[in-house]
Amino acid sequence: MAVLNRLQVEAEYEGQRIDNFLLRHFKGVPKTRIYRMLRTGEVRVDGARTRPEQRLLAGQWLRLPPVRVPEPQQADSEERLGSAVVLVERIERVYEANGLLAVNKPVGLAVHGGSGISLGLVEAFRACGQWGSSLDLVHRLDRETSGLLFLATKRVSLLNLHRQIQAGRFRKHYLALVKGAWQQSGLASLRDSLVKELHPGGERHVRPARDGEQGQAAMTQVKALCTWEHDQLGPLSLLECQPVTGRTHQIRVHLASSCFPIVGDPKYGDPRFNHQVQALTKVSRMFLHAWKASFDSELARERVAAEPGNDWQKGQQKLGCPWKPRPVADRADTTEMPLINP
């Protein structure tokens, strides 16, 4: 159907790029069409031409051209909704307040749909939740990583949490099961700068910067929760990790480059060791879990935690790990790791 709009920017969209606003407003319209209407002046802001990077201000008037929005096929739409409902029902919600939704993402579930993935977590919640397209992803979480994932149900909450991320007020703590005996007591700081590479076939890979090479500054704080000796696999350690910066694959690369690869990591881990662990535990996963997070709300410092799933607990038990997390309800278990100055 053709849609002709003249609309006023609401306060919650202030600061958003106009291209992102249009991509949401014209759901289903190809990106090429969106950027063509911006380039050719079909979209006006207070009567003037605009650019994709322009930030919106509350109260501005947008003139939008007639655009044919594709109607979804009913059968495809119903099938997609059914898949979304099944997916959402098996995902634990651990926090829902202040315009935020935090879930305990299962391992192996992609955050977004993409090549070869018809439905991601965000699309599933948008399809069957009460928020529709207003649900936004606050931060990334690798498909192989389980645990806390934050979504914003209001744009003002999204912007607030992004400001806290930039200011270091939104802190995330991960559990990582690694090969080797972590000897350092107290808090350690891993500071290798990181370089992204694109391998043949489009595979993304991250490595520490070499001497004289310019990489992205990165910092991960680590402390050992326990270290033990397995009679077949040798020394193992369970670590608590806090990424001070938010680089791609940061924890995985920092630990691997320190000779403590994460158990089950298919990209940066020890393939032979991973095969031994899988054969012993009958668990196939990467042992990295987004465990705890803390952030500021209007009234207090909020602390949220997500228990590792059954597959993690089975693997931990099979490997003889003596450490057990306190129940999530125990607020003492959501204390923050003190920050070393970056």
Side-chain angles (χ1 to χ4, degrees):
M1 61 180 176
V3 179
L4 178 61
N5 264 334
R6 186 173 182 272
L7 57 88
Q8 192 171 31
V9 177
E10 297 179 7
E12 64 176 297
Y13 296 110
E14 180 160 343
Q16 186 174 32
R17 284 174 53 130
I18 191 168
D19 56 350
N20 291 332
F21 177 88
L22 294 175
L23 286 167
R24 170 174 291 174
H25 182 76
F26 291 120
K27 195 71 175 176
V29 174
K31 283 186 178 181
T32 52
R33 176 70 181 101
I34 298 293
Y35 284 98
R36 185 166 72 248
M37 69 174 72
L38 286 166
R39 188 175 62 252
T40 58
E42 295 177 79
V43 175
R44 300 286 176 131
V45 178
D46 287 340
R49 294 173 70 107
T50 183
R51 294 183 177 183
E53 65 272 15
Q54 180 175 338
R55 303 279 177 175
L56 296 173
L57 298 175
Q60 287 180 323
W61 284 97
L62 306 184
R63 192 195 74 184
L64 307 179
V67 175
R68 187 164 297 278
V69 180
E71 296 283 359
Q73 295 294 323
Q74 183 175 356
D76 292 344
S77 180
E78 290 178 355
E79 182 180 355
R80 184 178 177 84
L81 177 58
S83 299
V85 169
V86 171
L87 182 59
V88 167
E89 284 180 347
R90 71 182 182 92
I91 297 175
E92 177 191 11
R93 303 185 189 190
V94 296
Y95 179 87
E96 192 169 351
N98 302 306
L100 296 171
L101 172 66
V103 301
N104 191 354
K105 186 187 84 67
V107 69
L109 176 61
V111 172
H112 277 299
S115 56
I117 303 170
S118 60
L119 193 68
L121 183 146
V122 174
E123 290 85 7
F125 271 92
R126 283 175 178 169
C128 62
Q130 65 266 40
W131 311 284
S133 61
S134 64
L135 196 68
D136 282 303
L137 183 67
V138 174
H139 62 93
R140 303 184 306 269
L141 196 62
D142 292 340
R143 184 177 182 180
E144 301 93 342
T145 305
S146 59
L148 275 176
L149 181 72
F150 280 79
L151 307 167
T153 61
K154 296 180 180 178
R155 179 164 173 77
V156 65
S157 301
L158 175 70
L159 297 177
N160 178 38
L161 220 51
H162 278 174
R163 285 192 291 268
Q164 292 191 46
I165 290 172
Q166 293 173 356
R169 293 296 297 166
F170 178 71
R171 300 186 187 175
K172 294 182 290 182
H173 297 243
Y174 291 73
L175 293 174
L177 180 60
V178 302
K179 175 186 177 183
W182 187 272
Q183 299 290 352
Q184 186 165 339
S185 61
L187 203 58
S189 179
L190 307 181
R191 297 173 179 261
D192 281 339
S193 296
L194 302 178
V195 174
K196 288 184 185 178
E197 295 178 330
L198 199 61
H199 286 188
E203 183 184 5
R204 183 176 54 180
H205 191 87
V206 180
R207 61 170 175 79
R210 303 185 181 99
D211 289 343
E213 187 177 22
Q214 185 68 36
Q216 289 185 307
M219 176 178 171
T220 304
Q221 295 189 162
V222 181
K223 70 177 181 181
L225 297 174
C226 67
T227 296
W228 73 101
E229 187 81 18
H230 190 275
D231 55 3
Q232 297 179 46
L233 300 171
L236 294 165
S237 301
L238 183 65
L239 309 177
E240 180 178 354
C241 306
Q242 180 184 339
V244 179
T245 52
R247 309 304 183 196
T248 301
H249 299 169
Q250 176 178 312
I251 296 175
R252 299 164 66 180
V253 177
H254 271 170
L255 290 176
S257 65
S258 301
C259 300
F260 293 93
I262 295 175
V263 175
D265 189 336
K267 190 183 291 282
Y268 306 104
D270 181 331
R272 184 176 177 183
F273 186 79
N274 289 345
H275 181 74
Q276 290 177 296
V277 171
Q278 185 175 341
L280 181 67
T281 63
K282 303 297 187 286
V283 174
S284 178
R285 65 156 295 163
M286 181 173 72
F287 282 85
L288 180 64
H289 177 78
W291 180 32
K292 303 187 293 187
S294 57
F295 56 94
D296 296 326
S297 69
E298 291 182 359
L299 300 177
R301 184 75 177 159
E302 298 285 346
R303 293 175 171 84
V304 184
E307 297 275 11
N310 292 334
D311 54 349
W312 176 292
Q313 295 180 32
K314 176 185 175 183
Q316 184 174 306
Q317 181 182 16
K318 291 280 189 179
L319 294 173
C321 176
W323 183 86
K324 297 291 186 295
R326 299 174 187 172
V328 169
D330 185 349
R331 304 298 282 186
D333 200 37
T334 57
T335 52
E336 297 180 62
M337 187 185 292
L339 278 173
I340 298 174
N341 291 329

